[in-house]
Amino acid sequence: MMLKVRSFFNEHIKPCPFWVLGTVIFVVNFVTMPRFFYVGDAQAVRLEAMQLVNHGKWGIGFKDKEKLGELAAVKGQYFFVNEEKKALFCKYGILNSLLFVFPVIAEKWVTGSVGKINGRSVFAHNVFNVFLSVLLAWFLFEIGKLFCVFAWQAAGYVLLAFYSTFLWFYLRAQTMEIFQVLCFSGLFLFFMRFLRGERKKTNLLLSSVFCGGLFLLKFYYGVLFLFIWGFVFFQERRSQSQWHQTAVWSVVPALIVGLFFLWVNTVKFGAAFDFGYAQWNDQGYLHDRFYWAGFFEGVKGFLFSMDRSVFVHFPLALLGLPGLWAFYRKFPRETMFVFSVFLFFLLAI
């Protein structure tokens, strides 16, 4: 009997092909789609995507301001007011709007028009999120296989991450955080493959592309290029010629993305180094102000708050702490990359 069980495990469970996992996730996420559209940021991004699809431009003219409703009630909260162009521009990273174009186009193709949010709008964005969830599952599955002995362990990690953490909210809400998780996961997957010497130029290029995607989602993620270059230099430092040959596969994508970013800022906000956030005042203070009391309070809340701690939202991280030292001894480069990025964003952002 035990031989039959072991044989079944080795033949069907142990290999755990991704199509099985992907099918399960697609079905579960499809049948649990939300009925309502996420309010706030996502609605602002969708309006800019609609403007791109319907009119081929970003800015929403002052004459159409009433269509924005409460989203335009507070200057700078969701839209940057460009007085020179007499238009409002969504202040969030341009890649958010470009990705939202896909469900907007699908909705318009099916219904013939796209306008106020309705049931078909919600369904289009929900289906888009389902496909993104499957893609994210593949990224996490491949990441898991880098550190797990068996594929079924990687699949188990994906299921736990999806359905026992706050990631479940981002998989369902029609908002932009799922884009960030996708780009972070893609960056980590391909950069870890690069550090292990697998198809180095291709994987470095792909990791840089996803890093550029993060930069176009939120501008401060551009600092991740510095971490990539630092680890590339550390790994390739013994060969100066190889360092230069390798670095170009990350530097060139960064330059292209950076120039595109500055051009978008110039078009939308009137200046290359205006990031679109300076107009929003919160109770008389700039929203992005910094003060030390808030810094320490934020770090405390991020780590130890009963309702906002990273360990509350992602309890798998808490379960992983006891094995952190053993993980470091087995995967030192991977651990140092994760820890350095985590520590920087914890202290600086």
Side-chain angles (χ1 to χ4, degrees):
M1 180 65 180
M2 289 301 298
L3 290 176
K4 290 183 178 180
V5 172
R6 183 176 298 178
S7 176
F8 177 83
F9 178 86
N10 290 331
E11 292 180 12
H12 301 285
I13 306 300
K14 184 178 178 180
C16 191
F18 176 75
W19 69 265
V20 176
L21 177 64
T23 301
V24 170
I25 289 173
F26 183 91
V27 172
V28 171
N29 289 22
F30 187 87
V31 300
T32 58
M33 292 188 296
R35 296 176 55 191
F36 305 102
F37 197 87
Y38 192 79
V39 298
D41 300 352
Q43 292 179 331
V45 174
R46 181 178 181 273
L47 285 169
E48 183 166 76
M50 285 172 49
Q51 190 75 358
L52 284 168
V53 172
N54 291 332
H55 306 289
K57 59 181 181 180
W58 285 317
I60 300 173
F62 283 178
K63 62 180 180 180
D64 298 320
K65 184 177 179 179
E66 67 277 0
K67 297 179 181 179
L68 304 181
E70 295 183 358
L71 295 176
V74 179
K75 184 179 180 180
Q77 183 175 8
Y78 298 107
F79 290 92
F80 180 92
V81 181
N82 191 319
E83 299 289 351
E84 181 180 350
K85 294 187 176 182
K86 306 295 182 184
L88 294 92
F89 295 86
C90 182
K91 72 176 186 180
Y92 302 110
I94 188 60
L95 186 57
N96 294 294
S97 301
L98 295 177
L99 290 172
F100 262 44
V101 162
F102 290 101
V104 170
I105 288 178
E107 180 186 353
K108 186 173 183 178
W109 180 69
V110 173
T111 65
S113 63
V114 59
K116 291 184 178 181
I117 295 174
N118 53 37
R120 292 175 179 176
S121 309
V122 175
F123 182 76
H125 283 270
N126 283 344
V127 172
F128 183 55
N129 269 28
V130 171
F131 282 105
L132 293 181
S133 298
V134 174
L135 178 59
L136 176 60
W138 182 79
F139 282 159
L140 296 180
F141 182 69
E142 291 298 314
I143 290 172
K145 291 199 300 184
L146 294 176
F147 305 103
C148 299
V149 178
F150 304 117
W152 66 266
Q153 296 171 322
Y157 166 72
V158 174
L159 293 175
L160 287 172
F162 269 35
Y163 303 121
S164 69
T165 73
F166 200 74
L167 180 57
W168 172 237
F169 175 81
Y170 291 139
L171 296 178
R172 303 176 73 243
Q174 310 90 352
T175 187
M176 298 97 71
E177 279 75 9
I178 189 173
F179 304 152
Q180 297 175 40
V181 178
L182 270 171
C183 287
F184 267 118
S185 301
L187 163 61
F188 184 75
L189 169 62
F190 294 113
F191 195 61
M192 292 305 100
R193 287 178 174 178
F194 162 79
L195 291 179
R196 297 186 180 192
E198 302 176 15
R199 300 175 61 188
K200 298 178 70 172
K201 293 180 179 179
T202 300
N203 283 315
L204 182 58
L205 174 62
L206 289 173
S207 63
S208 299
V209 168
F210 281 104
C211 187
L214 283 168
F215 183 37
L216 295 177
L217 291 170
K218 282 186 177 290
F219 66 90
Y220 51 71
Y221 287 142
V223 74
L224 288 170
F225 277 114
L226 299 180
F227 288 92
I228 291 177
W229 297 338
F231 275 79
V232 170
F233 175 75
F234 182 79
Q235 176 147 312
E236 308 294 333
R237 66 191 184 281
R238 293 189 181 88
S239 175
Q240 186 175 8
S241 60
Q242 188 174 3
W243 149 247
H244 290 117
Q245 294 173 6
T246 304
V248 70
W249 293 92
S250 181
V251 173
V252 171
L255 289 175
I256 294 174
V257 170
L259 290 173
F260 176 67
F261 173 77
L262 296 176
W263 174 74
V264 169
N265 287 348
T266 303
V267 172
K268 296 178 67 174
F269 312 130
F273 292 97
D274 191 329
F275 303 144
Y277 282 80
Q279 288 186 346
W280 186 15
N281 290 319
D282 183 10
Q283 298 180 356
Y285 298 94
L286 289 178
H287 179 66
D288 56 355
R289 66 191 184 277
F290 175 84
Y291 55 99
W292 283 108
F295 168 77
F296 291 112
E297 183 181 348
V299 171
K300 178 182 177 182
F302 185 77
L303 295 177
F304 305 112
S305 171
M306 293 301 295
D307 61 340
R308 297 184 182 275
S309 166
V310 63
F311 300 115
V312 172
H313 288 84
F314 201 86
L316 294 181
L318 184 62
L319 295 176
L321 287 179
L324 185 59
W325 177 248
F327 186 85
Y328 168 74
R329 295 184 63 181
K330 190 172 184 179
F331 306 104
R333 290 174 302 180
E334 294 87 338
T335 306
M336 288 304 300
F337 180 78
V338 173
F339 181 76
S340 60
V341 171
F342 173 80
L343 186 63
F344 174 81
F345 281 102
L346 174 64
L347 298 179
I349 304 298

